[in-house]
Amino acid sequence: PLRAPPFTMDLPREEQTIPEHLTELGYETAFFGKWHLNAHYGRYLGWSPTHGPQTQGCQVAVEDFGSHPYSRGKRTPEPITTHGEFPADSMIDRAAGFLRAEHQRPFFLMVSLFHVHTPVRTRCQWLLDKYEQKVPADSPNRPQRVTYAAFAGEMDHKVGTILQALEEAQLGDDTLVVLMSDNGGHPEYAANAPLRGSKWNLYEGGVRVPFLARWPKHVPAGSVSNTPVIGYDLLPTFLDIA
């Protein structure tokens, strides 16, 4: 009888990743954030010493949950009430530091953000207050959506920190930046209408996600493409560019 193949949560070492391909082309490669390609090691989402990013071509890699609630467990830190102030994020700081550092070779940096993954909790009380005024009173799951909007606002700041570091390194005009999500919104927090479905299923609301590219002189600002793309288009695209 036919048997199912053995199941493992570890990405097989023989699979060649984007960082491995780019290393062969002389690139410096770095990874920070959520590495969800090995079985949890030591703790939830812990990096495996045999299947972590360092074993898959990432020359620079530091395990760090940053300011996400994963990093503080059940502790509830003091809220931030000052408008425009955000919690410090060591993971984002590491990524920004990598961009600002001197590079003798072209580089590939992947920042796999923990935001906006559950648990959805933000210290930014001023953002919660802001969206308390914006989310309609009759919105389904309104308290969760207010919190989610504030959490997304915190994520926006992190992306901005990375882009600012790129500009400070005077590399903004020469660097392709791609921003995408891995799945549609969590049904408790986000609405994916007019698409059907959400995270955890294969309806379009679960698999159609934002995909943004920023590359001055190559990608016209504000342009929109209707060409379908999928995550694994990135590997051959990046290799062609490299």
Side-chain angles (χ1 to χ4, degrees):
L2 294 176
R3 295 180 179 273
F7 177 76
T8 174
M9 291 181 66
D10 295 326
L11 177 69
R13 292 281 298 277
E14 59 268 21
E15 296 291 342
Q16 195 165 15
T17 64
I18 292 173
E20 286 174 315
H21 279 288
L22 291 178
T23 294
E24 293 176 358
L25 295 176
Y27 273 64
E28 184 179 0
T29 58
F31 178 90
F32 301 98
K34 184 180 181 181
W35 178 265
H36 212 163
L37 297 172
N38 64 245
H40 305 301
Y41 184 85
R43 59 174 179 167
Y44 181 64
L45 291 177
W47 291 2
S48 164
T50 59
H51 290 81
Q54 303 96 324
T55 70
Q56 297 281 11
C58 301
Q59 301 156 24
V60 177
V62 181
E63 188 175 3
D64 188 346
F65 283 142
S67 65
H68 190 273
Y70 287 151
S71 67
R72 58 181 186 260
K74 296 183 178 180
R75 291 183 295 111
T76 304
E78 290 295 317
I80 296 174
T81 57
T82 303
H83 189 277
E85 183 177 329
F86 294 88
D89 192 303
S90 52
M91 188 268 281
I92 297 299
D93 289 344
R94 293 182 196 277
F98 174 84
L99 291 174
R100 294 191 191 99
E102 185 174 344
H103 299 277
Q104 301 300 323
R105 297 174 287 157
F107 62 80
F108 169 80
L109 166 66
M110 180 172 177
V111 182
S112 184
L113 293 163
F114 291 102
H115 290 61
V116 288
H117 199 283
T118 54
V120 178
R121 297 197 299 267
T122 178
R123 292 178 56 197
C124 296
Q125 182 61 49
W126 63 273
L127 274 176
L128 291 168
D129 295 341
K130 171 184 174 179
Y131 288 106
E132 185 68 38
Q133 304 300 316
K134 288 182 175 290
V135 177
D138 59 352
S139 177
N141 298 332
R142 188 176 186 278
Q144 292 94 324
R145 292 192 174 177
V146 168
T147 304
Y148 187 80
F151 209 44
E154 192 176 331
M155 181 192 72
D156 286 345
H157 173 73
K158 299 178 191 305
V159 174
T161 299
I162 293 170
L163 292 177
Q164 181 63 33
L166 198 60
E167 295 302 324
E168 291 171 1
Q170 299 183 338
L171 296 171
D173 286 344
D174 301 317
T175 304
L176 167 62
V177 179
V178 171
L179 174 67
M180 64 180 295
S181 178
D182 55 351
N183 49 249
H186 190 303
E188 185 178 350
Y189 296 96
N192 300 300
L195 304 179
R196 178 185 184 186
S198 64
K199 176 178 180 174
W200 298 319
N201 63 53
L202 297 178
Y203 294 119
E204 286 201 319
V207 298
R208 282 185 62 179
V209 298
F211 184 99
L212 305 173
R214 177 184 182 271
W215 196 13
K217 302 177 185 178
H218 297 273
V219 178
S223 59
V224 177
S225 172
N226 292 318
T227 303
V229 296
I230 195 165
Y232 48 74
D233 288 332
L234 292 177
L235 188 151
T237 301
F238 290 168
L239 295 188
D240 283 349
I241 292 170

